[in-house]
């Protein structure tokens, strides 16, 4: 068997294991068999998002090649800590109410502006102040909004919205890959991501909506409608991949890092997640209003 394939399988299995352990009750239940009440489910999830955030931010700083003498490079992490801290307080106080308020709409709008800047005004990212702003928006805001996706049950554990978001992203990627491999003829963005096809995209959308239907049928207590979440994931997940590909292409790097064997860096694995989280968060706001 090809050595790279074995490495990729092992890396993917370890990544999936930690995501499952930290986004479902399984991790806390397993650890608490060693010592009762040693850890709460919410702590594992918070730790996972914190890890993803800071490793992802470090990868982004390295990719964008800040001037070693610039002050902006040293401001990135203090600003990220401040942003994440504000969302962290709401997480532990169960204070995500999904109302339209200025700070949340501003945060969601900034993510959209950052994506537009990357594709349309790339030269702005050649300046260190532009790199600073982009890094904070691209990493701190999505992982901070991710803290608000699960809802807490009466026993203090949280529901499985975030776990099924990962499941839908994984399924969307897989369905799009296999559909594109066997049926793909028309390229989506040949200069940015030459392997993506419109046929693969259509297959990802179709099968992910079907999976969302079964999630909705068997887990009706989840926030939102998971057929709609499946649609959003299958549409915006590929955009996340294109954003990451454009970022790497702009700064001439192959992978964001090498922390996951055979898969690259955290940003390589979570490119779809970074874009899907704010989109689903916005959907939960609109769904509550309706």
């Amino acid at each position: 068997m090809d050595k790279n394939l074995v490495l990729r399988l092992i890396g993917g299995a370890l990544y999936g294991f930690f995501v499952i352990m930290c986004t479902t009750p399984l991790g806390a239940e397993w650890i608490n068999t060693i010592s009762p009440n040693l850890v709460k489910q919410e702590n594992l999830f918070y730790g996972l998002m914190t890890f993803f955030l800071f490793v992802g931010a470090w990868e982004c700083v390295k990719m964008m090649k800040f001037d070693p003498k610039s002050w902006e490079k040293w401001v990135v992490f203090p600003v990220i800590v401040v942003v994440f801290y504000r969302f962290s307080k709401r997480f532990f106080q169960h204070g995500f109410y999904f109302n339209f308020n200025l700070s949340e709409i501003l945060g969601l709008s900034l993510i959209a502006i950052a994506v537009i800047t990357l594709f349309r005004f790339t030269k702005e990212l050649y300046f260190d102040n532009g790199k600073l702003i982009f890094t904070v928006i691209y990493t701190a805001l999505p992982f901070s909004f991710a803290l608000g996706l699960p809802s807490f049950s009466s026993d203090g554990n949280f529901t499985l919205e975030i776990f099924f978001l990962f499941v839908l992203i994984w399924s969307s990627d897989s369905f799009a890959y296999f559909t594109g491999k066997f049926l793909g003829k028309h390229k989506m963005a040949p200069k940015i991501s030459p392997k993506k096809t419109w046929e693969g995209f259509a297959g990802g959308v179709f099968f992910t909506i079907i999976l969302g239907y079964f999630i909705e049928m068997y887990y009706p207590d989840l926030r939102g409608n998971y057929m709609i979440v499946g649609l959003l994931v299958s549409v915006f997940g590929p955009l996340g991949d294109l954003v990451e590909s454009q970022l790497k292409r702009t700064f001439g790097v192959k992978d964001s890092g090498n922390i996951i064997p055979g898969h690259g860096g955290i940003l390589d694995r979570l490119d779809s997640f970074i874009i899907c989280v704010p989109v689903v968060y916005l959907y939960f706001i609109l769904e509550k209003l309706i």
Side-chain angles (χ1 to χ4, degrees):
M1 184 178 289
D2 182 57
K3 183 179 179 181
N4 290 332
L5 177 60
V6 173
L7 195 63
R8 187 172 179 83
L9 290 173
I10 293 173
L14 288 173
Y15 165 73
F17 172 80
F18 282 110
V19 167
I20 293 170
M21 289 296 104
C22 293
T23 59
T24 72
L26 294 175
E29 289 173 0
W30 178 63
I31 293 174
N32 289 335
T33 59
I34 302 172
S35 177
N37 301 318
L38 185 62
V39 68
K40 293 182 179 180
Q41 182 184 354
E42 63 181 2
N43 299 125
L44 291 179
F45 173 57
Y46 182 79
L48 182 71
M49 291 299 106
T50 304
F51 175 77
F52 284 162
L53 166 59
F54 285 100
V55 175
W58 175 249
E59 290 176 353
C60 198
V61 168
K62 289 199 303 179
M63 270 199 301
M64 299 185 81
K65 301 172 184 175
F66 281 73
D67 184 338
K69 298 179 181 180
S70 71
W71 61 269
E72 288 91 349
K73 179 179 180 180
W74 306 107
V75 174
V76 169
F77 285 96
V79 175
I80 285 175
V81 168
V82 171
V83 172
F84 196 57
Y85 171 72
R86 293 189 56 138
F87 283 86
S88 301
K89 287 201 305 181
R90 296 173 66 187
F91 173 72
F92 286 109
Q93 294 169 2
H94 306 176
F96 287 91
Y97 301 115
F98 295 93
N99 296 322
F100 269 113
N101 61 62
L102 181 60
S103 61
E104 290 190 341
I105 299 307
L106 177 61
L108 294 168
S109 300
L110 286 174
I111 295 172
I113 292 171
V115 171
I116 293 170
T117 299
L118 177 63
F119 284 100
R120 300 289 296 173
F121 307 102
T122 310
K123 291 183 179 179
E124 298 296 328
L125 300 181
Y126 294 148
F127 302 98
D128 279 359
N129 54 1
K131 295 175 184 178
L132 164 64
I133 295 170
F134 182 87
T135 301
V136 172
I137 293 173
Y138 185 61
T139 58
L141 289 179
F143 290 114
S144 296
F145 279 120
L147 297 177
L149 295 187
S151 56
F152 285 84
S153 57
S154 58
D155 60 3
N157 292 324
F158 58 77
T159 48
L160 297 175
E161 285 89 349
I162 197 74
F163 168 69
F164 283 119
L165 178 61
F166 274 106
V167 170
L168 289 171
I169 290 172
W170 294 338
S171 67
S172 175
D173 289 344
S174 299
F175 289 135
Y177 171 78
F178 285 110
T179 306
K181 182 176 182 180
F182 292 107
L183 301 175
K185 293 181 180 180
H186 301 88
K187 303 293 185 181
M188 285 184 66
K191 292 183 178 180
I192 301 174
S193 186
K195 293 183 180 180
K196 287 193 177 299
T197 65
W198 285 108
E199 291 83 1
F201 173 76
V205 171
F206 177 75
F207 289 109
T208 305
I209 290 175
I210 291 177
L211 179 58
Y213 167 77
F214 286 106
I215 294 173
E216 181 69 18
M217 184 169 63
Y218 288 105
Y219 296 90
D221 294 333
L222 293 175
R223 178 185 284 138
N225 182 304
Y226 264 71
M227 289 185 69
I228 297 177
V229 174
L231 173 63
L232 294 174
V233 165
S234 58
V235 170
F236 286 94
L239 173 61
D241 182 63
L242 291 176
V243 168
E244 175 69 5
S245 296
Q246 176 68 8
L247 182 62
K248 291 187 291 188
R249 183 169 175 266
T250 298
F251 292 97
V253 297
K254 182 180 179 182
D255 295 316
S256 66
N258 55 10
I259 193 170
I260 306 175
H263 291 264
I266 290 297
L267 296 182
D268 294 320
R269 285 301 304 166
L270 294 172
D271 48 10
S272 296
F273 183 82
I274 285 171
I275 298 300
C276 286
V277 162
V279 172
V280 173
Y281 192 94
L282 178 59
Y283 162 62
F284 285 164
I285 292 177
L286 297 174
E287 188 258 350
K288 183 179 178 182
L289 291 177
I290 297 172

